[in-house]
């Protein structure tokens, strides 16, 4: 069906909108991103932490004029889902990290990433790795908003902030690096994983409400992946997924979906649930159907079962040749190919409402 068939309908609508002063189409003029390494486009390069990936072979398949084969601090061989989503909305193909000193308010006008690899909803999780907590990410976003107001004026800034899409993605580190890894840490006061999940969901709600208070009206809150199928968490001998971790992820996600429904029905904002779990689980269940050959091990390292960050480096001898065949780049993080699948699925199932 060609556009020509729709023109008789579109043109009167356009005229009506122009006459009424309303924007012709729902539009997303900017993308703002909060969370962990699933969405950090490079902020950790500019803070003092060991959680970094700004060295080869990270980024080796990034194919864009301004960054061919560059390690940008993305925890992948190429672009992240948020980069594909930005592009799908007609925004830049790489979401710039807010802390990059070469960025300024004019280069960040179509969006910025405030995420920090290693972060979680729990402050204690972000503290383990000395990375930006969600609240620090929010402080930076408020600083951004105030710079935007000075740069484009209050009215235009308000329009950008309310029409923009806000993507929030974290929680895996809270469980894997905090709750399960530090049995004597702060999270240990929650006897059951479900109690800790309830605490994290409370933080997620406060965070979403805080974004709303700064002007956010379009939110995409992302669930956890099947954590037990990350190469690091698979059974070291048999390779099977850890079903306990998967089940913890599913119950957290069920709680997040309830929260999303509640926030969305509140009327103050359009809020959608990002189904990362389904995207990854479908690929793991049917790799060939999505063009993958390997889903149990990462591309980088020796066995692909434990290396990431500094352990995945130029000296890693057995790093695979074609990361496009792998779902995971290192022991935890998706390849660009899997990020693309996740982004497409989100565009197809939920984010299209904002287009
Ligand atoms: C932002 O940086 C670009 C290039 O780095 C420069 O041309 C521009 O003048 C800067 N804009 C502001 C508002 O500082
Ligand atoms: C987390 O940190 C923020 C700011 O750094 C603080 O406002 C908040 O109360 C902390 N949350 C908890 C539960 O300690
Ligand atoms: C998304 O939709 C497009 C167009 O219908 C389709 O080609 C693509 O396979 C879909 N991708 C996913 C991951 O659902």
């Amino acid at each position: 069906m060609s556009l020509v068939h729709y023109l008789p309908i579109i043109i009167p609508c356009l005229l009506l909108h122009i006459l009424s002063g309303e924007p012709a189409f729902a539009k997303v003029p900017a993308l703002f991103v909060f969370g962990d390494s699933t969405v950090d486009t490079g902020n950790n390069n500019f803070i003092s932490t060991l959680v970094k990936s700004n060295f080869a072979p990270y980024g080796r398949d990034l194919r864009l004029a301004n960054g061919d084969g560059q390690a940008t601090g993305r925890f992948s061989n190429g672009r992240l889902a948020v980069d594909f989503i930005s592009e799908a909305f007609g925004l830049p193909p790489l979401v710039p990290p807010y802390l990059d000193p070469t960025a300024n308010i004019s280069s960040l006008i179509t969006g910025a990433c405030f995420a920090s690899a290693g972060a979680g909803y729990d402050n204690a999780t972000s503290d383990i790795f000395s990375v930006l907590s969600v609240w620090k990410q929010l402080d930076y976003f408020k600083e951004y908003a105030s710079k935007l107001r000075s740069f484009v004026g209050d009215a235009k800034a308000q329009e950008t902030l309310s029409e923009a899409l806000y993507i929030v993605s974290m929680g895996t580190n809270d469980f894997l690096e905090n709750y399960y890894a530090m049995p004597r840490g702060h999270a240990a006061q929650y006897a059951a994983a479900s109690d800790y999940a309830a605490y994290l969901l409370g933080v997620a709600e406060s965070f979403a409400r805080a974004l709303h208070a700064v002007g956010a009206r379009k939110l995409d809150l992302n669930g956890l992946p099947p954590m037990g199928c990350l190469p690091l968490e698979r059974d070291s001998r048999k390779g099977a997924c850890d079903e306990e971790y998967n089940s913890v992820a599913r119950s957290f996600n069920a709680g997040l979906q309830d929260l999303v429904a509640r926030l969305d029905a509140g009327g103050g904002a359009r809020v959608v649930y990002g189904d990362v779990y389904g995207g990854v689980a479908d690929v793991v269940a049917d790799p060939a159907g999505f063009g993958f050959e390997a889903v149990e091990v990462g591309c980088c390292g020796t066995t692909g079962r434990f290396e990431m960050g500094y352990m995945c480096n130029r000296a890693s001898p057995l790093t695979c040749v074609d990361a496009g065949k792998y779902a995971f780049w290192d022991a935890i993080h998706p390849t660009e190919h899997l990020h693309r699948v996740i982004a497409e699925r989100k565009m197809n199932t939920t984010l299209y409402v904002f287009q």
Side-chain angles (χ1 to χ4, degrees), residues 135 203-213 216 219 221 259 263 271:
W135 305 107
V203 181
E205 173 161 7
S206 309
F207 187 66
R209 292 190 185 281
L211 285 176
H212 182 264
L219 280 86
L221 303 186
L259 170 62
L263 294 172
V271 188

Side-chain angles (χ1 to χ4, degrees), residues 102-108 151:
T102 68
N104 61 30
I105 192 62
S106 115
S107 65
L108 299 177
F151 189 59

Side-chain angles (χ1 to χ4, degrees), residues 54 133 140 143 221-222 251:
N54 53 346
S133 70
Y140 280 127
E143 180 184 89
L221 303 186
N222 287 271
S251 20

